[in-house]
């Protein structure tokens, strides 16, 4: 890693300039010269300033020899993004939709990143181009899919180039063992080990098959690469790794243990998987230049990660802790810090906290430059919904620098609005329709809907019109649905199908217990996410007139419900094909 003169121990560099060339040079000069991975963390996924700063920093780091960027997104999906930025024919929208997990393709900063990478790589030779990687597992926080598509990809690749009868394990064997995909993605399995398929004999057999297929990939690598290409072989290997990782994760989910222990172990499996991906990415990139890695602080920090979640004290070794242990000075980490943010509703930090000491500027700061660090405390004015993990003594002691955003600017229109602003019914509908593959059906007399439902809007993914993932309306249904008092002028209700696990996480009890709680709920309250008065037992939630209190959470839940609907449609399509 190239570096200039070493700055003083207490260095800091304001980031007001739209180009970060000076800041990048100062940062590199302060890091170990052996560093191959520069990990930059964000303290919450909800503040768009951090991915935007990542983009600006990458543009400057490329001038210092960086030739790759890795982000907290599914590694397999990231292969499609890299193909596009290397000049592939896919459309930008398709790449953003399919190439990022966790809904990250909707972020303006990721569109900017992909656009810049493609433009930069154009007319440059392969060894000078910047490659894109995802390094996350194909998981969501509360779900894990079937390994089917990954096993199918590897099996099809081997069959195509070696012949279907030249190795063990037929496609029919795989499908018989895999069974129905819904038993793998069952939301209840994340909370109840007895519902997990991971300890079944079929899952055990599939783990052996995944290992066999990976061994064949290596054993026959000369013939396979000659018959296809090194890139196709690599894609198959990444799929094989994803299949094995999912089977490991499901096996851990099936282990009975106290909730905090079990959840910590599952988080540890995910971060260990992320660490393996990072080490593999560095192996591929080692002759091309250093790698910029971007993810949440809790995945990148050097010390043990902790999290207080739903009355559980969780702890595990992050990917950063693992990689730092194995690579030593070849790993450097910059942790993110946030003062105030409209996007996540984070107020000015209280006096005496680390964030307050860093002030209202946006800057790269040496840990030694934080004033009076020994007398500072972690801020306690944050809520779980903000997703913000404050700076603390341990984080400051184990990082190479801090990327501090003192006061974040207004949120992007595509993510959320500043506090005090409400959306109207048409704006909510427009936001849902802007999501990929969404169609809207309006209940009318011509559609055969009853008169009380006319004007209600139903949102679907795919051609099946039997199961919407969201509905939207501003009228009561007399004798059937009146508790929200939609007869009030300007009042409307958004309803979302969240599934059992997210409903339980949100409200603290499963949908099956909704009837026991409904008497305590005022369904006419505005701007608050509540169980749906009609379909709470079916895991639906609702909100009247989303506004300052609920808007950020509502947008997250819309994205969540949409992702569930798309996965359901994909499973149906896979079974049909």
């Amino acid at each position: 890693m190239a570096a200039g003169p070493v700055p003083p121990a207490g260095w800091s560099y304001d980031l007001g300039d739209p180009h970060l060339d000076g800041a990048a040079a100062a940062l590199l000069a302060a890091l170990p010269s052996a560093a191959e991975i520069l990990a930059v963390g964000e303290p919450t996924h909800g503040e768009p300033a951090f991915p935007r700063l990542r983009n600006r920093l990458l543009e400057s780091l490329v001038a210092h020899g960086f030739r790759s960027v890795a982000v907290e997104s599914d590694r397999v999906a990231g292969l499609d993004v890299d193909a596009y930025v290397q000049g592939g024919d896919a459309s930008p929208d398709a790449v953003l939709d399919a190439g990022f997990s966790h809904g990250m393709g909707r972020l303006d900063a990721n569109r900017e990143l992909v656009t810049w990478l493609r433009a930069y790589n154009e007319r440059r030779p392969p060894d000078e181009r910047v490659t894109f990687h995802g390094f996350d597992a194909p998981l969501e926080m509360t779900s894990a899919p079937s390994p089917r598509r990954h096993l199918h990809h590897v099996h099809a690749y081997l069959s195509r180039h070696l012949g279907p009868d030249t190795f063990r394990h037929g496609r029919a064997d795989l499908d018989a063992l895999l069974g129905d995909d819904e038993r793998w993605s069952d939301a209840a399995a994340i909370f109840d080990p007895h519902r997990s398929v991971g300890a079944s004999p079929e899952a055990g057999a599939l783990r052996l098959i995944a290992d066999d297929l990976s061994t064949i990939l290596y054993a026959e690598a000369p013939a396979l690469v000659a018959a296809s290409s090194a890139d196709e072989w690599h894609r198959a290997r990444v799929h094989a790794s994803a299949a094995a990782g999912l089977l490991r994760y499901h096996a851990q989910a099936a282990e009975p243990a106290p909730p905090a222990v079990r959840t910590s172990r599952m988080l540890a499996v995910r971060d260990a998987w992320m660490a393996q991906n990072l080490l593999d990415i560095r192996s591929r990139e080692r002759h091309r230049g250093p790698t910029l890695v971007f993810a949440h602080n809790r995945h990148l920090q050097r010390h043990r990660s902790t999290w207080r979640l739903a009355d559980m004290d969780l702890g595990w070794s992050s990917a950063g802790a693992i990689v730092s242990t194995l690579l030593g000075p070849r790993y450097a980490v910059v942790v993110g810090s946030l003062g105030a943010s409209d996007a996540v509703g984070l107020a000015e930090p209280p006096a005496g906290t680390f964030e307050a000491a860093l002030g209202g500027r946006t800057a790269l700061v040496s840990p030694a430059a934080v004033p009076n660090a020994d007398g500072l405390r972690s801020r306690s004015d944050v809520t779980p919904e903000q997703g913000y993990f404050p700076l603390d003594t341990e984080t400051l002691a184990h990082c190479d620098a801090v990327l501090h955003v003192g006061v974040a600017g207004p949120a992007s229109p595509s993510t959320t609005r500043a506090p005090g602003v409400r959306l109207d019914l048409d704006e909510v509908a427009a936001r849902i329709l802007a999501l990929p593959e969404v169609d809207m059906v309006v209940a009318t007399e011509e559609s055969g809907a009853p008169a009380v439902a006319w004007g209600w809007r139903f949102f679907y993914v795919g051609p099946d019109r039997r199961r919407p993932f969201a509905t939207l309306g501003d009228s009561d249904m007399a004798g059937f649905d009146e508790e929200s008092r939609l007869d009030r002028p300007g009042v409307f209700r958004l309803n979302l199908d969240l599934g059992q696990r997210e409903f339980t996480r949100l409200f603290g009890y499963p949908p099956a217990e909704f009837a026991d709680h409904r008497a305590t709920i005022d369904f006419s309250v505005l701007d608050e996410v509540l169980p749906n008065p009609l379909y709470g037992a079916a895991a639906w939630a609702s909100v009247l007139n989303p506004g300052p209190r609920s808007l950020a959470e509502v947008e997250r839940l819309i994205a969540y419900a949409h992702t569930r609907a798309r996965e359901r449609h994909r499973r149906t399509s896979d079974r049909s094909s």
Side-chain angles (χ1 to χ4, degrees):
M1 183 182 292
V6 178
W11 63 273
S12 66
Y13 206 104
D14 286 350
L15 304 182
D17 192 319
H19 301 290
L20 302 189
D21 296 343
L27 175 62
L28 295 180
L31 299 179
S33 59
E36 299 174 4
I37 292 178
L38 173 55
V40 176
E42 58 178 352
T44 173
H45 287 317
E47 173 47 61
F50 288 98
R52 288 172 182 158
L53 285 167
R54 170 206 64 193
N55 294 351
R56 292 166 57 197
L57 186 59
L58 176 65
E59 293 172 16
S60 297
L61 289 173
V62 166
H64 292 270
F66 280 68
R67 291 293 178 265
S68 53
V69 58
V71 305
E72 186 183 339
S73 183
D74 177 14
R75 191 180 184 198
V76 173
L79 297 174
D80 292 336
V81 180
D82 188 57
Y84 174 78
V85 303
Q86 303 301 329
D89 295 331
S91 72
D93 287 341
V95 167
L96 289 163
D97 177 29
F100 288 85
S101 56
H102 318 318
M104 296 295 186
R106 296 189 299 114
L107 298 181
D108 289 344
N110 283 334
R111 180 178 290 274
E112 293 165 4
L113 173 65
V114 169
T115 301
W116 183 85
L117 287 171
R118 184 176 172 97
Y120 178 87
N121 289 336
E122 192 176 10
R123 303 190 191 89
R124 282 183 167 83
D127 61 333
E128 293 183 13
R129 295 176 184 168
V130 181
T131 55
F132 176 94
H133 301 276
F135 75 98
D136 201 356
L139 306 170
E140 296 298 336
M141 178 61 194
T142 54
S143 67
S146 164
R148 180 186 305 276
R149 75 183 186 98
H150 303 296
L151 290 171
H152 278 184
H153 181 97
V154 181
H155 191 275
Y157 175 77
L158 294 175
S159 297
R160 186 163 58 250
H161 298 297
L162 299 179
D165 301 321
T166 57
F167 62 96
R168 297 194 314 164
H169 313 306
R171 170 73 174 262
D173 297 335
L174 287 178
D175 287 337
L177 291 170
L178 287 162
D180 191 337
D181 282 355
E182 291 187 2
R183 70 177 187 147
W184 295 88
S185 58
D186 179 10
I190 300 300
F191 301 100
D192 182 359
H194 303 293
R195 294 287 297 271
S196 173
V197 70
S200 66
E202 294 86 354
L206 287 167
R207 291 185 75 178
L208 293 175
I209 291 174
D211 184 68
D212 284 349
L213 295 179
S214 183
T215 299
I216 295 167
L217 275 174
Y218 278 94
E220 300 295 338
L224 289 167
V225 171
S228 57
S229 69
D231 285 343
E232 286 187 62
W233 183 90
H234 171 66
R235 179 178 285 266
R237 186 176 66 85
V238 173
H239 274 279
S241 176
L246 280 170
L247 289 163
R248 285 195 300 270
Y249 189 82
H250 281 291
Q252 184 60 67
E255 287 288 329
V261 174
R262 181 171 173 271
T263 304
S264 294
R265 289 173 179 171
M266 292 168 70
L267 290 168
V269 168
R270 178 188 176 190
D271 267 81
W273 190 350
M274 296 171 82
Q276 290 175 305
N277 285 340
L278 277 179
L279 293 169
D280 186 55
I281 289 167
R282 273 312 303 161
S283 178
R284 288 181 59 80
E285 297 287 350
R286 65 187 182 280
H287 299 306
R288 300 184 65 251
T291 300
L292 174 65
V293 176
F294 182 77
H296 198 286
N297 286 344
R298 282 301 189 269
H299 292 306
L300 300 180
Q301 62 192 38
R302 282 195 178 96
H303 60 294
R304 185 172 177 80
S305 292
T306 58
W307 188 9
R308 177 70 176 174
L309 175 67
D311 297 324
M312 296 185 294
D313 289 315
L314 309 177
W316 72 101
S317 292
S318 72
I322 297 167
V323 174
S324 178
T325 298
L326 298 178
L327 295 188
R330 289 184 287 165
Y331 181 84
V333 60
V334 177
V335 299
S337 165
L338 181 60
S341 165
D342 284 347
V344 298
L346 191 64
E348 293 284 343
T353 62
F354 291 94
E355 290 85 351
L358 287 166
R361 60 182 177 155
T362 296
L364 276 168
V365 182
S366 164
V370 180
N372 304 313
D374 291 341
L376 299 176
R377 69 180 191 278
S378 293
R379 64 190 299 179
S380 57
D381 62 327
V382 298
T383 66
E385 293 76 20
Q386 292 166 330
Y388 177 65
F389 288 77
L391 271 183
D392 55 34
T393 302
E394 280 288 290
T395 302
L396 201 63
H398 291 89
C399 71
D400 295 287
V402 177
L403 174 59
H404 179 65
V405 175
V407 180
S412 164
S414 66
T415 53
T416 187
R417 292 190 177 192
V421 178
R422 296 183 184 275
L423 299 182
D424 64 27
L425 186 148
D426 289 333
E427 287 176 311
V428 174
R431 292 193 179 204
I432 300 174
L433 281 171
L435 297 171
E437 301 180 64
V438 173
D439 289 323
M440 180 178 73
V441 173
V442 180
T444 62
E445 183 178 8
E446 292 74 21
S447 70
V452 292
W454 291 353
W456 275 76
R457 310 179 198 196
F458 298 79
F459 300 89
Y460 302 87
V461 170
D464 183 358
R465 294 294 180 266
R466 293 177 297 176
R467 188 171 176 180
F469 71 91
T471 66
L472 192 59
D474 60 357
S475 60
D476 285 333
M477 298 182 187
F480 178 63
D481 181 8
E482 299 176 304
E483 291 180 273
S484 294
R485 295 180 53 209
L486 298 178
D487 56 338
R488 292 172 288 173
V491 176
F492 65 93
R493 190 177 75 207
L494 168 67
N495 310 294
L496 295 167
D497 179 9
L498 299 182
Q500 179 172 299
R501 68 176 177 275
E502 183 62 18
F503 184 99
T504 303
R505 189 202 67 79
L506 201 60
F507 301 117
Y509 55 86
E513 296 178 10
F514 168 63
D516 299 331
H517 294 267
R518 71 172 348 273
T520 66
I521 302 170
D522 180 357
F523 294 105
S524 66
V525 172
L526 303 182
D527 194 17
E528 183 175 342
V529 180
L530 301 169
N532 182 276
L534 290 179
Y535 302 112
W540 280 71
S542 61
V543 59
L544 304 182
N545 294 42
R549 288 187 299 173
S550 69
L551 192 52
E553 178 71 346
V554 166
E555 293 212 341
R556 184 188 72 82
L557 294 174
I558 289 173
Y560 181 85
H562 171 251
T563 298
R564 289 187 71 248
R566 293 189 71 203
E567 290 176 350
R568 184 167 59 242
H569 173 55
R570 180 180 58 77
R571 290 195 301 267
T572 302
S573 299
D574 288 347
R575 285 196 294 268
S576 298
S577 62

